[in-house]
Amino acid sequence: MKIMVAIKRVVDYAVKIRVKPDKTGVETQNVKMSMNPFCEIALEEALRIKESGVASEVVAVSMGPAQCVDTLRTGLAMGADRGIHVEATEALYPLSVAKLLRALVEVEKPGLLILGKQAIDDDCNQTGQMVAGLLNWPQGTFASKALDVLVTLAINDEKMEFNLLMPFGLVKVNWQQHRGIHSELQKICSDSVVLDKEKQALTVDREVDGGLETLCLDLPAVITTDLRLNQPRYATLPNIMKAKSKVIKKFTLKDLNVEIKPDFEVVQVTEPPKRKAGVMVSSVDELIDKLKNEAHVI
Amino acid sequence: MASIALRALRRRIGPLSTSNSRSISTLVVGEHEGGKVKPSCLSAVEAAKSLSKDNSISLLLAGSGSSLREAAAIAASRHPSVSQVLVADSDIFTHPLAEPWAKLIHLIQQRGNYSHVVASSGSFGKNILPRVAALLDVSPITDVVEISDSHLFVRPIYAGNALSTVRYNGAGPCLLTVRSTSFPVAPIFDDSKSNEAPISQVDLSTFSEESIGKSRYVKLASQETERPDLGNARVVVTGGRGLKNAENFKMIEKLAEKLGAAVGATRAAVDAGFVPNDLQVGQTGKIVAPELYMAFGVSGAIQHLAGMKDSKVIVAVNKDADAPIFQVADYGLVGDLFEVIPELLEKLPEKK
């Protein structure tokens, strides 16, 4: 199975952003850019799945201006096998990105598409859901760490391989050959893993309001990652050197036959209203007094 | 009756007029639990009201059993702005699976030709609405905090450090998720009957097996708590890394109990295992805007501030006088929280 991971180049999460004086957007010139933190987690997860023996290849894709290649190189240095850059100079919104991803899925035919749950610049939280909708694939959004470590089972002919894999158990079972070990598998996998006859399925724990929801999805599927899924690795120097020789294939919007639908425009970007300066109090008594008699909140 | 006739008429004229002057009809995607519509869903109705003065609002409730029927009856009788309640009654919708839900909303939108579809920006709406948008080939607009007119919206970007005003120009319906803290709901008395909206069953005969999709619900592990829901609480007490361990975090819980407050946490506190994930407040956790937000041992990282800086009154207690949290706090106290919290517990008045 091949895994495709979508990564985005964004303003580094630690940068205090500045709104441009002409209100057209946020200053991105001479600002530190990095891989979107959720995308790093998505890539890390893909690499872990590959290392567990379930996937054969991890392809990282990024869309946007030429500098996206730097972000792709970072991904290759982390361990992705190859990169795809869809070059676009115009602003890309989630609908266009989802269509481009669908086009790339048709070219690459991955069994799993992993994205971050949101980009920390536009905070949209849309692309994964949209591409799943376009492909008619099931979606496991806001994937998070499982409560317990689940077990991944990769069974190749007679050999049974057990791999620990966070957070979801990826189960690949030839049902006919291994009917006898069904109950064993269920015991190992905990009761949350559903084994589907002769199908590849994936169990994912999702972070939802009020708790953790477990779903079982048939492959191919789309996963979007939450912060707690894993701890992304650092690229080591040898891997950074190796990444330089890895292939990054280029596509244009035209190659992929995707047109940008202009159904949406940013009118202006402004600074949020500033809070008025607060006061420092010197004791608990003063605090309680202020809350009671000035703010009237207790 | 008049309103129904008007609506039918409007629908007939609708697509002919230009996007900005066309009439508005809204489908609100509802959520219900235990026989009641959820407060976040009522916020979505509030938001729908502000799209246009002349807006007929249909509320969709899906699921099965008596809980669905009760919720539908309440929605139809007690919420004056709802002009129609649509009920999709099937086991398919018992769990919030994106695949069948998206197909359902797509189907209803196409039948009713709504100009807007609104859901609340909870994990449910965020999961489902963008998928519906893809099926309709339109750009959705998520996390709306202000509605300027029926096609002009304000949403925060960069963790709330900038506000983006966006215009929807599409020919297709406009799909929104709205932040419930930005559209507060007026309290509704439990026994008042102020409305008699018709309840209609959605015809699901064309809803094929295939629409159900390729995902199955396994389970939901939820935290049982008697405290108010974090998203809607009037007072929120939050602890950060400064609490040091899960045992100490209990002081925050005690204080919350005394204030009748919900408990929140920073990412640091969640990652360190003091409390479960769903208590995280911030860019990637819950967005809250209570009347009173009290932060203990919270430094005030950009990502945390994104989740709470619209609170009316912010109190920060931290022993580091330079902590960024003091820049947004209305009342700051530099001190050791291990001394301050017990003193607060002792001196705070009992809640009424």
Side-chain angles (χ1 to χ4, degrees):
Chain A
M1 185 180 71
K2 194 191 283 182
I3 303 178
M4 190 188 269
V5 181
I7 57 182
K8 185 176 183 184
R9 176 176 177 266
V10 298
V11 172
D12 189 84
Y13 74 95
V15 169
K16 183 135 180 44
I17 56 118
R18 274 175 306 141
V19 172
K20 287 184 191 167
D22 64 359
K23 296 185 177 176
T24 54
V26 165
E27 200 60 70
T28 52
Q29 294 292 315
N30 302 319
V31 171
K32 187 183 175 201
M33 305 290 278
S34 307
M35 192 191 296
N36 179 42
F38 291 98
C39 302
E40 279 184 1
I41 294 167
L43 182 53
E44 174 66 35
E45 198 58 29
L47 296 173
R48 289 186 189 191
I49 294 172
K50 186 188 160 193
E51 283 157 7
S52 77
V54 182
S56 54
E57 193 184 27
V58 174
V59 183
V61 307
S62 193
M63 293 151 195
Q67 297 94 316
C68 288
V69 170
D70 302 341
T71 314
L72 279 172
R73 288 275 171 226
T74 310
L76 295 175
M78 277 174 74
D81 297 293
R82 3 186 221 110
I84 293 176
H85 176 216
V86 181
E87 192 152 27
T89 44
E90 54 273 74
L92 291 176
Y93 297 115
L95 181 61
S96 309
V97 175
K99 285 180 180 174
L100 289 167
L101 282 171
R102 172 178 61 180
L104 288 174
V105 162
E106 276 154 17
V107 174
E108 293 284 340
K109 308 228 178 321
L112 189 59
L113 177 58
I114 312 185
L115 302 87
K117 79 162 181 182
Q118 76 191 62
I120 59 163
D121 51 1
D122 61 24
D123 281 333
C124 275
N125 195 334
Q126 298 170 353
T127 309
Q129 294 89 311
M130 294 184 82
V131 70
L134 293 175
L135 289 163
N136 198 24
W137 284 8
Q139 67 189 50
T141 50
F142 328 142
S144 170
K145 188 156 63 187
L147 292 174
D148 311 301
V149 177
L150 294 176
V151 178
T152 297
L153 301 153
I155 299 168
N156 308 322
D157 303 325
E158 274 96 34
K159 203 175 119 215
M160 248 173 77
E161 289 172 10
F162 291 83
N163 295 295
L164 283 178
L165 176 69
M166 307 269 274
F168 37 73
L170 226 151
V171 182
K172 198 171 155 191
V173 180
N174 184 319
W175 200 258
Q176 297 306 319
Q177 283 176 358
H178 299 281
R179 194 178 297 166
I181 57 167
H182 172 210
S183 57
E184 279 304 306
L185 288 180
Q186 287 226 315
K187 242 183 264 165
I188 298 162
C189 293
S190 88
D191 57 358
S192 68
V193 175
V194 179
L195 296 170
D196 204 323
K197 279 180 204 170
E198 293 182 320
K199 265 189 185 171
Q200 293 186 50
L202 170 149
T203 301
V204 55
D205 281 5
R206 308 179 50 231
E207 249 177 59
V208 296
D209 298 341
L212 211 53
E213 181 189 79
T214 310
L215 298 182
C216 184
L217 315 174
D218 290 344
L219 295 178
V222 176
I223 296 290
T224 75
T225 58
D226 213 316
L227 271 180
R228 261 168 290 274
L229 188 53
N230 59 45
Q231 193 64 48
R233 68 193 67 185
Y234 289 105
T236 58
L237 191 59
N239 285 344
I240 294 171
M241 299 309 288
K242 242 189 266 170
K244 292 190 174 162
S245 58
K246 288 182 180 172
V247 180
I248 296 180
K249 200 171 171 189
K250 254 193 203 327
F251 283 98
T252 61
L253 300 190
K254 223 180 221 165
D255 295 336
L256 295 170
N257 208 8
V258 171
E259 257 182 69
I260 291 182
K261 199 177 174 190
D263 63 353
F264 171 83
E265 85 181 279
V266 174
V267 181
Q268 63 167 20
V269 173
T270 54
E271 286 201 28
K274 290 234 177 342
R275 289 187 76 95
K276 66 173 183 353
V279 294
M280 298 303 280
V281 295
S282 55
S283 69
V284 170
D285 291 312
E286 193 186 342
L287 177 63
I288 292 177
D289 176 67
K290 294 265 191 201
L291 290 177
K292 218 191 274 180
N293 302 317
E294 195 176 281
H296 306 288
V297 284
I298 55 169
Chain B
M1 273 323 278
S3 76
I4 294 168
L6 198 67
R7 214 180 308 142
L9 187 69
R10 218 183 285 145
R11 222 168 271 161
R12 228 169 292 146
I13 320 168
L16 295 174
S17 48
T18 62
S19 69
N20 276 335
S21 62
R22 76 180 166 196
S23 63
I24 307 290
S25 61
T26 305
L27 178 70
V28 173
V29 181
E31 287 172 84
H32 62 99
E33 191 178 53
K36 277 190 181 150
V37 285
K38 285 193 183 174
S40 61
C41 148
L42 297 176
S43 292
V45 172
E46 269 325 294
K49 269 162 72 180
S50 56
L51 284 167
S52 160
K53 273 189 206 112
D54 182 28
N55 180 8
S56 78
I57 299 173
S58 301
L59 178 68
L60 168 67
L61 293 170
S64 58
S66 59
S67 162
L68 172 68
R69 285 193 293 278
E70 278 168 43
I74 289 175
S77 63
R78 286 184 205 157
H79 302 293
S81 30
V82 173
S83 51
Q84 186 187 195
V85 178
L86 300 171
V87 173
D89 190 345
S90 167
D91 292 341
I92 304 167
F93 309 117
T94 310
H95 303 297
L97 291 172
E99 297 81 30
W101 272 85
K103 284 267 166 66
L104 173 70
I105 297 164
H106 181 226
L107 177 86
I108 294 176
Q109 145 62 28
Q110 296 216 306
R111 278 187 199 158
N113 196 22
Y114 297 94
S115 65
H116 291 71
V117 179
V118 181
S120 125
S121 278
S123 59
F124 172 83
K126 281 184 178 168
N127 186 36
I128 290 164
L129 215 76
R131 190 175 175 109
V132 181
L135 300 181
L136 290 163
D137 194 23
V138 300
S139 285
I141 300 164
T142 39
D143 248 352
V144 169
V145 294
E146 197 185 312
I147 294 175
S148 306
D149 74 36
S150 62
H151 288 77
L152 196 63
F153 312 99
V154 180
R155 60 183 302 274
I157 53 174
Y158 288 91
N161 289 301
L163 292 174
S164 172
T165 306
V166 298
R167 187 191 309 281
Y168 180 72
N169 303 320
C174 177
L175 269 59
L176 310 171
T177 70
V178 297
R179 206 173 259 192
S180 31
T181 51
S182 303
F183 299 93
V185 184
I188 286 163
F189 300 105
D190 265 8
D191 48 356
S192 66
K193 275 206 174 207
S194 51
N195 192 24
E196 269 183 55
I199 298 177
S200 42
Q201 298 287 330
V202 176
D203 174 16
L204 294 171
S205 57
T206 57
F207 207 78
S208 62
E209 266 308 294
E210 204 182 292
S211 311
I212 299 167
K214 301 154 193 156
S215 61
R216 289 164 298 282
Y217 175 89
V218 180
K219 66 174 182 193
L220 175 70
S222 64
Q223 303 285 333
E224 288 296 321
T225 172
E226 284 169 20
R227 283 188 292 268
D229 175 51
L230 184 55
N232 303 303
R234 201 187 69 82
V235 181
V236 174
V237 184
T238 291
R241 199 198 310 266
L243 268 300
K244 293 200 174 87
N245 59 46
E247 193 53 41
N248 291 337
F249 208 93
K250 295 214 169 80
M251 296 194 325
I252 295 284
E253 289 166 14
K254 255 191 219 156
L255 188 60
E257 240 154 72
K258 181 134 195 192
L259 289 161
V263 170
T266 64
R267 184 181 171 205
V270 170
D271 281 353
F274 301 172
V275 283
N277 302 345
D278 52 325
L279 296 188
Q280 187 184 331
V281 171
Q283 183 183 19
T284 65
K286 295 256 166 54
I287 312 286
V288 301
E291 282 178 39
L292 174 61
Y293 188 88
M294 303 181 84
F296 295 91
V298 172
S299 64
I302 298 172
Q303 291 79 10
H304 182 71
L305 299 184
M308 46 65 80
K309 65 182 176 190
D310 292 328
S311 306
K312 291 206 181 63
V313 176
I314 298 173
V315 172
V317 176
N318 202 308
K319 63 180 175 191
D320 174 11
D322 297 325
I325 188 82
F326 287 122
Q327 289 161 23
V328 299
D330 298 281
Y331 303 108
L333 177 57
V334 177
D336 185 350
L337 61 92
F338 294 106
E339 288 162 19
V340 173
I341 298 179
E343 201 178 338
L344 274 169
L345 278 170
E346 188 189 315
K347 290 179 177 169
L348 273 175
E350 281 302 323
K351 67 171 169 144
K352 289 144 230 159

